[in-house]
Amino acid sequence: MTKFDQQAYANLFARPFMPFTSLNDLIPTSPITNIWPIQNLLPTGLTLLSGESRSGKTSLALQLMLNVAQGMCSFASTDSNDSQPFTSARGRAFYLGLDHSLLRLHELRSRLLAAQPGTPPPNNLFFSNTWTPLTPTEGLHELQSWLTNSPDTRLLVIDNLASLRPLFKGNDRELLALLRRLAEQYNISILVLHTCKRSSSLTASVDHHLHLKRLPVSNYYHLDVLGSSLAPFSLTLHCPTSHIHFRHASLAESLALSTLSAHKALTPERLAILHLIHTCEHPLSPAQITAALGLDYTCVRQLLSKMVKANLLTTISHGYYTLHSFIKPLVPELLAQHPCQPKFEIAHILLSPDSEDTLTPESSNAAEFSPNDSANSAQTPTTLESQTRITHNLTPHSYTLLTPKSGNPHSNQPNAM
């Protein structure tokens, strides 16, 4: 940037000259109104919304814009009547989506309004995906005109910094300094989206910083809030895929996310077992899981033991496994992210109600103390052949589990297994 250009930009949003003033005389001549667009979250000034690519930054920014345009609370649940700390000051909001085509803007509009079916769209929410170069006589002058003619403006969203760079001749720090002075002059909040890490050096050039991270269950997000006017805090949010509506995650959801975020919690074989048990909706034994998934019986036993220690599964009477209550709220959304799972038929996995299950306490005691079966009383449950017979069907990955009938426990066993 040339010396002439620097002076021109400096004069564009220059502060009025102020000499050194004593503390006693530092009294505003007129009341200074500092209206936050969203209380406790989005103050006036320049805010950077950072995150990795595809982390949900655009969706979150649109949600905040809609809350400001309608004067509604942010992150409130539809069924919650509690007081919310993130109340909005109703006003105009502008979205400069330089990174999006017109078709993409239409898609975002549909997802945004789908969260409020039957509600007419607000008339104080404006979109654009083009802008003139940011010079004192072009783009910056047009921004000034918009803000001057719209004194009730509360929020300007710029999506994103990379798409704004070609319109400005200076570097990123000079561009952010210019936007910071613009927000100060018109007492508005400017939210700039940028794909970067939480520790980006650009955070030193803004007033406030929001960092969004997508969690292992992709519909859940972690939002870190930092700023000069805010005490640091974090939020766990949920947003469905079908529409844009961020809300607070419940305590049960947060507990499930903590469990699922553990190291090696979501390996392919563990996901397959979670999918199997969730689909069957009944506790399953290691033998049934082995038959359905075609894995080694010993490996399945070891894997199930580790999943119990990781709070993914829990055991009920005599070695039957079901989903742990910690993760139950998130299992459907988790499995929706991993549709490629082994195929099986539930009818071929579950035992019929009137068949005798050799793993129940009654049948196991009968097998142990039956006088007709004293020669085999030393058999252990780890011998799969003595407990269950696996019959393959024509459908891939589908099996039938059969148990010995009462009476002669060897009458239904095959000659060779």
Side-chain angles (χ1 to χ4, degrees), residues 81-305:
N81 296 322
D82 298 335
S83 58
Q84 296 293 329
F86 306 114
T87 57
S88 301
R90 191 174 186 275
R92 296 196 182 198
F94 295 90
Y95 179 77
L96 191 56
L98 300 174
D99 198 32
H100 302 307
S101 64
L102 184 59
L103 182 62
R104 173 62 173 164
L105 290 180
H106 289 165
E107 177 188 347
L108 292 173
R109 177 187 181 275
S110 299
R111 292 185 59 225
L112 186 64
L113 298 180
Q116 301 176 352
T119 303
N123 57 3
N124 56 352
L125 193 56
F126 302 91
F127 289 76
S128 177
N129 63 349
T130 59
W131 204 254
T132 54
L134 295 178
T135 63
T137 58
E138 294 179 279
L140 293 175
H141 179 72
E142 293 179 14
L143 275 178
Q144 281 185 305
S145 299
W146 271 98
L147 297 176
T148 302
N149 296 329
S150 305
D152 61 338
T153 299
R154 295 284 181 262
L155 179 61
L156 168 64
V157 175
I158 299 176
D159 188 5
N160 54 42
L161 181 61
S163 300
L164 191 64
R165 285 168 179 158
L167 303 180
F168 187 72
K169 295 182 179 180
N171 56 41
D172 288 345
R173 296 184 180 277
E174 293 171 332
L175 175 57
L176 294 176
L178 186 66
L179 295 175
R180 196 175 183 181
R181 293 197 300 269
L182 176 65
E184 177 185 346
Q185 184 175 25
Y186 288 92
N187 198 28
I188 64 171
S189 177
I190 298 179
L191 183 64
V192 178
L193 278 60
H194 184 45
T195 301
C196 65
K197 295 182 178 180
R198 186 177 184 271
S199 58
S200 172
S201 60
L202 293 179
T203 58
S205 302
V206 298
D207 298 307
H208 316 284
H209 180 206
L210 307 178
H211 184 78
L212 189 65
K213 178 182 178 181
R214 190 186 292 268
L215 296 177
V217 182
S218 62
N219 289 341
Y220 288 85
Y221 304 83
H222 186 82
L223 179 65
D224 289 324
V225 182
L226 304 167
S228 57
S229 303
L230 291 167
F233 65 94
S234 300
L235 298 172
T236 302
L237 305 174
H238 173 269
C239 182
T241 306
S242 58
H243 56 274
I244 299 176
H245 179 71
F246 284 84
R247 62 164 177 84
H248 283 291
S250 66
L251 184 60
E253 291 172 320
S254 299
L255 181 59
L257 287 169
S258 299
T259 304
L260 294 172
S261 299
H263 182 56
K264 293 185 179 180
L266 301 178
T267 57
E269 59 274 13
R270 293 188 179 192
L271 286 170
I273 293 177
L274 293 177
H275 172 61
L276 175 63
I277 298 178
H278 172 72
T279 305
C280 292
E281 298 181 349
H282 290 279
L284 297 179
S285 67
Q288 292 171 311
I289 296 173
T290 299
L293 301 181
L295 301 175
D296 179 76
Y297 180 74
T298 304
C299 293
V300 168
R301 291 291 299 268
Q302 295 175 354
L303 185 57
L304 292 174
S305 177

